[in-house]
Amino acid sequence: MGKVTGLTGNEAIAYAVKQCNVDVVAAYPITPQTIMVEVISEYVYNGEIDAEYVCVESEHSALSACIGASLTGARVFTATASQGLALMHEILYVASGLRCPIVMGVANRALSAPLNIHGDHSDMMGSRDCGWIQIYAESPQEAYDWIIQAFKIAEDHRVLLPVSVNIDGFILSHSMERVEILEDGDVSKFLPPRKPFITIDPTKPITVGALCLPDYYFEVKFQQIQALKESFNVIREVNAEYETLAERKYGFLETYAMDDAEAAIICLGSTAGTAKAVAMDLRSKGKKVGVIKPWVYRPFPEEELIKAVGDVKAIAVLDRACSFGAPFNALCSDIIATLYRHGKDLRVFNCLYGLGGRDITPNDLKIIFEEALEVAKTGKVKEYVKYVGVRE
Amino acid sequence: MSEKKLGWKSLSIGGYLLEPGSAMKYKTGDWRAFKPVIDQKKCINCLLCWIYCPDSAIIRLEKYVEVNYDYCKGCGICANECPVKCITMVEEER
Ligand code: SF4
Ligand code: SF4
């Protein structure tokens, strides 16, 4: 058993990174992630961790430095948000393509323009096809727990892919909550030093990132597709091992009150917390509603989702990032595609909400639940994509 | 290039090249449309072509130079730089 403390999302991630004995951190501060790297740089300055902190001039350089460090066999962490993640976009693909098990904390924030510093998922959703494993946490506790697991998943030789752990900007990054932290020694036992599959060594020269023409490129990319498939097993194993250590259960998704639910909300991150509270309230009034919260967004947990959906008749999928011009926003598209692929014919509608950090209130969620119950009853969707709270 | 190509299972992870110097095996000579032909009687062995050749495809001999056609891509830089104009670019016949 560890001890209980109060930490913000940013601090919880920084603390987990410290306990994971990272070797190199290269990052550029950006709101609302700043405190995450500020705290880590203090740990390095105070000698609390034996790590190299590389001050870089941009996020593009931060991730580039991380790749170089990762190739030497180091355990590497970086963090960013919003425009910073957008600036990394090019290098995100290099990190996954070169199979560097980097872990990154993202304090999700809206993208410009208009300029906005508050939380939505536009940043990570805009890079969702970059080949990284992508995890969304609901609370500082979950962010802490997932960072520790993320290193173990990323560094497993069956995976060797970078992992991002996402927390909602400000809502989680800056709110202090109760966090149960493990003993340093327990984390070290759970996560021994990294064993790289190959390292850069001047006595045994290798070439990394060589030109790969049409005759080989596809095969190398297919290796990544396979690695993401392999990661399902690894994530399952790591979750199970972590549960015995921390007595907290993780998986690809969390279900709440889904057993006999007729209608459900599916959403990522902190909104799930509010949705669960509203569902509990509606349940006490006899309304059969539940919540599904995917933790792991990439690779997308199809089987787990189908199991979680059970006999629900209607689903409202909440997206906090806009896929401009698309039939549905990103999470909803993935859900509908999964249901189609598994022959599940049930009614789904999409709610775009919370852009630029706009609050989603319990009342908003109550209205969505009630509409989902109505759809479950009538079997008819009135509006396929709703824009929660937008003024005319 | 008729050698059997490796599939995703046998390729090294991430397309890493695990042995040094493997570029030697990649013979780029078949990219050539024009081929440099040296009139070795006129060559003064000044080695300007050897310096300028971007593919290190000029071979130094005692009194003159010759071209390694396995790697010469036929860019014509050597012919352009030769002070005595003893290199002619001749169209490849295929
Ligand atoms: S044609 Fe170009 S590649 Fe060929 S020998 Fe001359 S300079 Fe080198
Ligand atoms: S530049 Fe001309 S003269 Fe000089 S070495 Fe080359 S071929 Fe001979």
Side-chain angles (χ1 to χ4, degrees):
Chain A
M1 250 312 264
K3 66 172 200 269
V4 174
T5 179
L7 294 172
T8 64
N10 278 337
E11 290 164 350
I13 288 183
Y15 199 85
V17 168
K18 171 172 122 164
Q19 290 187 307
C20 290
N21 284 320
V22 285
D23 301 302
V24 177
V25 178
Y28 190 86
I30 181 168
T31 303
Q33 153 268 38
T34 310
I35 294 155
M36 208 189 292
V37 292
E38 226 170 65
V39 171
I40 294 173
S41 71
E42 270 169 30
Y43 291 147
V44 176
Y45 179 76
N46 297 338
E48 287 176 70
I49 38 172
D50 181 20
E52 192 71 39
Y53 186 94
V54 190
C55 283
V56 282
E57 83 290 357
S58 77
E59 287 83 357
H60 192 278
S61 307
L63 193 52
S64 300
C66 287
I67 290 172
S70 185
L71 290 171
T72 69
R75 178 167 290 157
V76 183
F77 178 80
T78 187
T80 192
S82 183
Q83 307 306 122
L85 185 63
L87 187 53
M88 276 182 185
H89 187 74
E90 177 187 1
I91 314 300
L92 292 174
Y93 286 73
V94 181
S96 56
L98 293 181
R99 309 298 294 277
C100 296
I102 296 161
V103 172
M104 173 164 72
V106 183
N108 300 109
R109 163 185 151 184
L111 288 173
S112 292
L115 177 63
N116 179 297
I117 56 164
H118 290 276
D120 75 25
H121 296 156
S122 308
D123 49 7
M124 197 68 237
M125 283 296 168
S127 288
R128 69 183 178 279
D129 293 336
C130 64
W132 287 49
I133 292 173
Q134 294 160 42
I135 291 160
Y136 286 82
E138 183 194 315
S139 62
Q141 178 72 67
E142 289 189 6
Y144 169 86
D145 291 327
W146 273 113
I147 287 284
I148 296 169
Q149 297 178 84
F151 280 108
K152 194 156 171 121
I153 295 162
E155 292 172 6
D156 191 291
H157 286 200
R158 291 165 290 175
V159 179
L160 292 170
L161 288 171
V163 180
S164 76
V165 176
N166 293 264
I167 53 172
D168 288 318
F170 289 109
I171 300 168
L172 297 179
S173 66
H174 287 61
S175 325
M176 187 170 288
E177 279 186 20
R178 175 192 191 278
V179 178
E180 224 175 282
I181 51 177
L182 299 167
E183 297 290 344
D184 291 355
D186 286 343
V187 178
S188 304
K189 245 183 270 154
F190 174 79
L191 185 70
R194 179 182 162 200
K195 287 199 193 72
F197 85 101
I198 198 159
T199 58
I200 294 181
D201 172 357
T203 65
K204 280 188 244 111
I206 58 166
T207 304
V208 177
L211 176 72
C212 216
L213 291 172
D215 53 350
Y216 279 111
Y217 183 85
F218 204 168
E219 279 69 25
V220 176
K221 287 287 131 184
F222 192 77
Q223 291 179 338
Q224 272 178 254
I225 296 172
Q226 274 313 114
L228 270 169
K229 277 193 193 151
E230 280 289 322
S231 77
F232 278 107
N233 284 331
V234 176
I235 294 169
R236 245 173 241 129
E237 287 169 25
V238 169
N239 287 160
E241 198 184 327
Y242 194 75
E243 191 187 344
T244 55
L245 172 70
E247 291 168 11
R248 282 185 293 278
K249 193 174 168 60
Y250 286 92
F252 290 89
L253 46 80
E254 185 186 26
T255 55
Y256 180 84
M258 284 301 295
D259 277 352
D260 59 345
E262 284 162 10
I265 278 182
I266 303 184
C267 61
L268 300 170
S270 63
T271 306
T274 325
K276 284 188 257 180
V278 175
M280 201 203 306
D281 191 40
L282 290 173
R283 280 268 172 188
S284 73
K285 292 174 184 122
K287 306 212 167 145
K288 292 185 172 168
V289 293
V291 179
I292 300 174
K293 175 192 69 182
W295 269 308
V296 182
Y297 177 64
R298 287 286 183 267
F300 196 75
E302 287 184 50
E303 276 172 37
E304 288 75 6
L305 182 81
I306 293 299
K307 228 175 97 200
V309 160
D311 294 326
V312 143
K313 296 193 190 69
I315 299 176
V317 184
L318 274 53
D319 267 285
R320 202 168 198 156
C322 182
S323 297
F324 293 100
F328 292 97
N329 299 293
L331 178 61
C332 192
S333 293
D334 290 320
I335 304 268
I336 291 175
T338 304
L339 295 173
Y340 173 78
R341 189 162 160 174
H342 293 261
K344 276 255 179 196
D345 184 23
L346 55 91
R347 308 272 78 81
V348 179
F349 63 96
N350 192 192
C351 302
L352 184 66
Y353 78 99
L355 296 192
R358 179 167 302 181
D359 280 338
I360 179 131
T361 64
N363 196 46
D364 293 331
L365 290 162
K366 191 169 154 253
I367 293 168
I368 295 169
F369 270 128
E370 269 159 7
E371 175 152 350
L373 281 168
E374 181 68 18
V375 172
K377 205 164 89 194
T378 60
K380 285 202 180 67
V381 175
K382 270 187 274 166
E383 216 179 350
Y384 278 98
V385 184
K386 300 172 74 70
Y387 301 90
V388 181
V390 150
R391 296 182 302 273
E392 267 193 50
Chain B
M1 294 222 169
S2 57
E3 106 256 27
K4 198 166 172 296
K5 296 202 189 305
L6 298 175
W8 69 270
K9 285 184 183 166
S10 5
L11 271 176
S12 63
I13 190 166
Y16 287 25
L17 304 177
L18 303 177
E19 77 181 276
S22 59
M24 288 285 282
K25 291 189 191 154
Y26 192 20
K27 307 244 162 109
T28 46
D30 62 357
W31 296 16
R32 204 167 47 233
F34 286 87
K35 157 185 189 162
V37 177
I38 303 179
D39 180 350
Q40 288 168 330
K41 284 204 265 342
K42 280 207 224 155
C43 170
I44 56 169
N45 214 15
C46 68
L47 299 183
L48 276 176
C49 56
W50 176 76
I51 290 166
Y52 276 101
C53 173
D55 280 289
S56 306
I58 301 284
I59 301 166
R60 290 164 62 174
L61 298 174
E62 187 138 356
K63 296 219 165 67
Y64 42 75
V65 295
E66 66 181 31
V67 178
N68 183 342
Y69 291 113
D70 277 350
Y71 303 107
C72 163
K73 290 184 193 137
C75 67
I77 291 174
C78 54
N80 195 50
E81 297 298 333
C82 174
V84 297
K85 297 290 160 215
C86 70
I87 306 179
T88 324
M89 298 303 290
V90 182
E91 194 163 354
E92 285 280 2
E93 282 172 35
R94 279 208 185 94

